DNA sequence: AATTAAATTTCGTAA
DNA sequence: TTACGAAGTTTAATT
């Protein structure tokens, strides 16, 4: 057990007995630590789908918010997991450590059985700061609202998140001729799905306004794929190349 | 350092000096171990977007496939990360441990600077087994192909992944009357996006066949949202409620 | 609790 | 390498 000046505390055991491992895990969950276990284990999941993973060396993390992560040596994504909101539990059964994370709505259960525990740790610390991220779709929207002419000359934004029967439109406005314009924003290169999305909004707004004059639809993104480009043409929609600001 | 009978090996230091931590990390990367570092750190990311995270206690994992994960005590997702394919590097700068993961195409860089390292570990093990998952869209497709009558009486599947100018159709077939049918499968409750997707395929196929008889479009999913249901009606598409098999 | 769409989505497959 | 769509997607916002 180690206590640091800043309140950070860690507890670690190498090759613990299953009972000792269970104690560290249980105590860690109790004090709202990040708990990690590395060893050979099997994993069973039952919930929205179901899965089984035979024995292998994996790294398991239990978070105090109820999230659980099982990582192999490959992939950015955990091979098995449980979202925040679960209740963690650690028990010994037949001389083996078992970790279980359960939630309801939907009912889901993750069960990790360790044949061998190489290391178990509990990490307590504080993290006050949140991520500052730049380059999102929201940043792209700000860029256009601050200077609508980057979209086209004399474009006038009238609303953001304007509601239609098909959902909320990113930017709603009118052009130099006073025609209604629906703008759909994407922070990166788009495919057919983005075109369909814009199409839904344009359709919905045309019905909503029941105006005879057609509503213009403009897709704003860094670039489009060939198929998306063809779809835009078919549906009479437009494209403007813009990127979210880099900083 | 601990070596197990099954070839699993772990190496861990508590409150190491930055230089000692760097050595463990560098050696771990070298031997293709999963490397973890817990401590107070700042994180900078620059790539598809860019972000900064001020000091806090976090858990960092470097995988031998090049993936990097920075986890706080909250959330299933890492607060910062790098996908597989990166090159990891560990250095000491001004007496602090710095981890860096870099890749190209696209150019991306993740930099973690530790003010304090509480624990550093390197885990080597083997994992031969892959996840066996049941309840996917593929399982739903198998269910329909094995007994097409679950979709509707006298439905005849003719192809899966049939190509159209709008993309591949999940199941293509014909009904009792010999009309062309496009089936789009979803393993869970669907919203407007799935309807748009089906619509794209039906449109494309109607042009492709340039037949006068309309192509039927059937969305297969456990259920649909209200908005999606309305969209289905508007577009003359159909819905059949089916779930992927549970086991 | 349910809906909708964004995400540094990731991941797998096919061209 | 790019494109396209699935995913036990997760996450955030709004109803």
């Amino acid at each position: 057990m180690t206590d640091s000046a800043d309140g950070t505390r860690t507890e670690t055991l190498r090759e613990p007995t299953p009972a000792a491992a269970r104690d560290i895990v249980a105590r860690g969950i109790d004090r709202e630590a990040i708990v990690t276990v590395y060893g050979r284990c099997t994993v069973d999941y039952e919930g929205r789908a179901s899965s089984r993973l035979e024995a292998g060396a994996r790294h398991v993390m239990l978070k105090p918010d109820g999230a659980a992560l099982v990582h192999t040596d490959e992939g950015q994504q955990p091979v098995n997991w449980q979202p925040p909101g679960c209740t963690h539990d650690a028990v010994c059964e037949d001389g083996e450590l078992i970790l279980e994370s359960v939630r309801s709505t939907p009912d889901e259960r993750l069960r990790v059985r360790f044949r061998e525990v190489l290391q178990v740790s509990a990490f307590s610390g504080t993290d006050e700061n949140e991520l500052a991220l730049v380059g999102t779709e929201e940043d792209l929207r700000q860029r256009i609202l601050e200077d609508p002419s980057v979209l086209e000359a004399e474009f006038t934004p009238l609303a953001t998140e304007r509601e239609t029967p098909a959902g909320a439109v990113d930017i709603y406005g009118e052009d130099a001729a006073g025609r209604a314009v629906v703008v759909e924003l994407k922070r990166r290169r788009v495919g057919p799905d983005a075109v369909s999305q814009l199409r839904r909004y344009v359709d919905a707004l045309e019905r909503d306004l029941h105006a005879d004059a057609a509503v213009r639809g403009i897709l704003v993104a860094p670039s489009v794929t060939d198929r998306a480009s063809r779809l835009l043409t078919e549906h009479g929609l437009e494209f403007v190349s813009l990127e979210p600001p880099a900083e």
Side-chain angles (χ1 to χ4, degrees), chain A:
Chain A
M1 167 94 70
T2 303
D3 289 284
S4 274
D6 57 4
T8 315
R9 178 199 287 204
T10 74
E11 196 171 1
T12 291
L13 286 180
R14 313 285 304 280
E15 306 206 15
T17 65
R22 179 208 51 205
D23 288 348
I24 296 268
V25 172
R27 201 155 51 231
I29 293 171
D30 224 48
R31 76 159 69 112
E32 311 226 302
I34 294 176
V35 174
T36 66
V37 182
Y38 180 81
R40 277 187 70 80
C41 60
T42 57
V43 187
D44 286 279
Y45 156 74
E46 190 112 32
R48 285 165 291 176
S50 59
S51 70
R52 167 138 185 107
L53 184 57
E54 295 298 341
R58 285 133 204 165
H59 182 281
V60 180
M61 178 182 292
L62 304 180
K63 289 194 181 190
D65 69 354
L69 305 167
V70 182
H71 275 279
T72 69
D73 62 351
E74 287 185 335
Q76 173 177 334
Q77 295 304 130
V79 63
N80 275 117
W81 69 91
Q82 202 67 293
C86 292
T87 301
H88 303 310
D89 195 22
V91 296
C92 279
E93 221 179 84
D94 303 326
E96 293 184 328
L97 172 66
I98 292 172
L99 304 181
E100 205 165 32
S101 293
V102 179
R103 70 161 176 165
S104 44
T105 3
D107 274 330
E108 288 194 300
R109 177 178 308 265
L110 181 71
R111 197 180 153 89
V112 185
R113 173 187 285 260
F114 284 90
R115 311 306 174 83
E116 186 185 13
V117 176
L118 274 295
Q119 180 171 311
V120 54
S121 299
F123 305 106
S124 307
T126 59
D127 187 350
E128 307 296 330
N129 291 300
E130 291 196 352
L131 187 74
L133 180 67
V134 175
T136 64
E137 182 182 299
E138 174 59 25
D139 296 318
L140 177 56
R141 170 159 67 179
Q142 286 306 321
R143 184 179 167 192
I144 294 172
L145 293 179
E146 279 168 21
D147 180 12
S149 71
V150 298
L151 186 64
E152 72 175 25
E154 292 184 70
F155 171 70
T156 307
L158 297 173
T160 63
E161 299 298 319
R162 184 195 193 283
E163 280 300 334
T164 75
V169 167
D170 283 339
I171 299 179
Y172 172 70
E174 60 180 32
D175 65 13
R179 277 176 301 189
V181 178
V182 169
V183 182
E184 175 61 31
L185 308 174
K186 295 293 172 189
R187 66 170 301 283
R188 59 175 216 172
R189 183 172 174 85
V190 294
D193 54 335
V195 181
S196 293
Q197 193 183 343
L198 175 56
R199 177 76 201 285
R200 285 206 308 276
Y201 297 151
V202 170
D203 280 355
L205 206 61
E206 283 182 338
R207 294 190 188 205
D208 220 29
L209 301 176
H210 44 76
D212 296 325
V215 173
R216 290 177 61 196
I218 305 180
L219 185 58
V220 176
S223 58
V224 289
T225 66
D226 276 359
R227 197 126 66 181
S229 181
R230 220 165 299 128
L231 271 172
L232 282 168
T233 306
E234 282 176 24
H235 294 294
L237 301 171
E238 303 163 57
F239 170 71
V240 170
S241 175
L242 268 180
E243 290 187 25
E247 51 189 293

